[in-house]
């Protein structure tokens, strides 16, 4: 089902995330902390602002996890993805239009790292691990509601520290929308199969693992609750009835 508010929220949020995050890579070139904060703080702000509207996924891998978990219907997920890819592509296009007249190199915003060409399978595994961390945090804060008002900052902090870890090795995409947008205007090459293996399959694999672990822990919690309820019933039945 199409929801215009969800579509607009995901479009604006993804545009901001990609524009600020990748833009930070140019403005503070070489400053890994600055890039990580650019991504992390932007995501935290939009989860806080738009979380009640769309969940503020701003990432197809996160939406995939929510759909796999049943939190979002698959038909709804399609519109999430359309908004996210459109927002990311427009953000990179605008950034390219902005920086090239100033002499900046658009290739500074690409999604790649030292493992992208030399060790593509290892790069895929790293992308899966980092995406697992991000989707895991989303599930426990936005679905389970464990962090309350701190949910946005938990999610933003997760993206920040995963960026610090993965940026050098893979470009720390964890976001197929950002990867496609960068590939359209610069690289990685859309003709290379490893682009899809690393930056599409990797994040989706990590998202799937996060959902599996989330449901594993949720199942244990339900079993413990059932056992507690059974004990209460047994204790109640064991008590003598007072006349």
């Amino acid at each position: 089902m199409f929801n215009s508010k969800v579509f607009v929220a995901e479009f604006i949020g993804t545009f901001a995330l990609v524009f600020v995050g990748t833009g930070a890579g140019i403005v503070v070139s070489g400053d890994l902390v600055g890039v990580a904060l650019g991504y992390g703080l932007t995501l935290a702000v939009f989860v806080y602002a738009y979380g009640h509207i769309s969940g503020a996924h701003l990432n197809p891998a996160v939406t995939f996890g929510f759909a796999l978990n049943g939190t979002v219907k698959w038909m709804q997920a399609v519109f999430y993805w359309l908004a996210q890819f459109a927002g990311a592509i427009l953000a990179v296009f605008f950034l390219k239009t902005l920086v090239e007249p100033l002499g900046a190199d658009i290739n500074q915003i690409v999604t790649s790292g030292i493992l992208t060409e030399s060790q593509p399978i290892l790069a895929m595994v790293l992308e899966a691990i980092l995406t697992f961390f991000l989707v895991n945090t989303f599930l426990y804060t936005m679905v389970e509601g464990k962090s309350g008002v701190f949910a946005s900052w938990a999610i933003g902090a997760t993206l920040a520290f995963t960026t610090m870890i993965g940026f050098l090795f893979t470009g720390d995409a964890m976001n197929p929308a950002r990867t496609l947008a960068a590939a359209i205007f610069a690289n990685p090459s859309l003709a290379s199969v490893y682009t899809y293996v690393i930056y599409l399959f990797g994040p989706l694999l990590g998202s799937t693992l996060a959902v599996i672990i989330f449901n594993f822990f949720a199942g244990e919690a339900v079993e413990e609750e059932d056992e507690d309820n059974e004990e209460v019933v047994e204790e109640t039945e064991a008590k003598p009835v007072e006349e």
Side-chain angles (χ1 to χ4, degrees):
M1 300 291 289
F2 178 73
N3 185 318
S4 59
K5 292 180 180 180
V6 168
F7 186 91
V8 172
E10 288 294 310
F11 176 84
I12 295 174
T14 308
F15 177 94
L17 180 66
V18 175
F19 181 75
V20 174
T22 54
I26 296 175
V27 175
V28 293
S29 181
D31 183 0
L32 182 56
V33 174
V35 175
L37 289 178
Y39 279 112
L41 291 176
T42 303
L43 182 58
V45 167
F46 277 91
V47 170
Y48 185 82
Y50 290 166
H52 67 290
I53 299 173
S54 67
H57 302 173
L58 316 187
N59 183 336
V62 174
T63 301
F64 178 80
F66 274 55
L68 200 61
N69 188 56
T71 307
V72 171
K73 295 180 180 178
W74 286 105
M75 280 304 299
Q76 292 176 316
V78 172
F79 294 110
Y80 271 82
W81 291 329
L82 289 174
Q84 291 158 357
F85 280 109
I89 291 170
L90 184 61
V92 175
F93 172 75
F94 183 62
L95 192 59
K96 179 177 183 291
T97 304
L98 183 67
V99 303
E100 284 192 339
L102 302 176
D105 185 7
I106 192 64
N107 287 315
Q108 292 184 64
I109 70 167
V110 302
T111 303
S112 61
I114 59 176
L115 296 179
T116 301
E117 294 185 2
S118 62
Q119 297 287 338
I121 301 303
L122 188 57
M124 179 206 70
V125 172
L126 181 58
E127 283 288 308
I129 292 172
L130 297 177
T131 306
F132 168 85
F133 292 148
L134 181 63
V135 177
N136 179 73
T137 305
F138 260 98
L139 289 170
Y140 277 98
T141 55
M142 301 300 286
V143 177
E144 196 75 4
K146 296 296 186 183
S147 297
V149 295
F150 295 103
S152 61
W153 301 110
I155 292 169
T158 302
L159 182 58
F161 81 68
T162 52
T163 298
M164 290 182 189
I165 296 169
F167 193 79
L168 175 65
F169 298 104
T170 65
D172 187 49
M174 302 185 296
N175 190 329
R178 173 186 166 227
T179 300
L180 176 65
I184 289 174
F185 298 102
N187 47 61
S189 172
L190 289 174
S192 172
V193 66
Y194 289 122
T195 297
Y196 304 96
V197 171
I198 298 170
Y199 300 110
L200 177 61
F201 182 73
L204 295 185
L205 175 61
S207 183
T208 300
L209 292 174
V211 172
I212 291 172
I213 295 299
F214 175 75
N215 284 294
F216 171 73
F217 286 136
E220 283 195 342
V222 171
E223 289 177 2
E224 289 177 1
E225 185 176 342
D226 289 342
E227 289 177 359
D228 291 341
N229 290 337
E230 288 177 3
E231 289 178 1
V232 170
V233 172
E234 289 175 357
E235 289 176 0
T236 303
E237 292 176 347
K239 288 182 179 179
V241 179
E242 296 181 359
E243 295 183 359

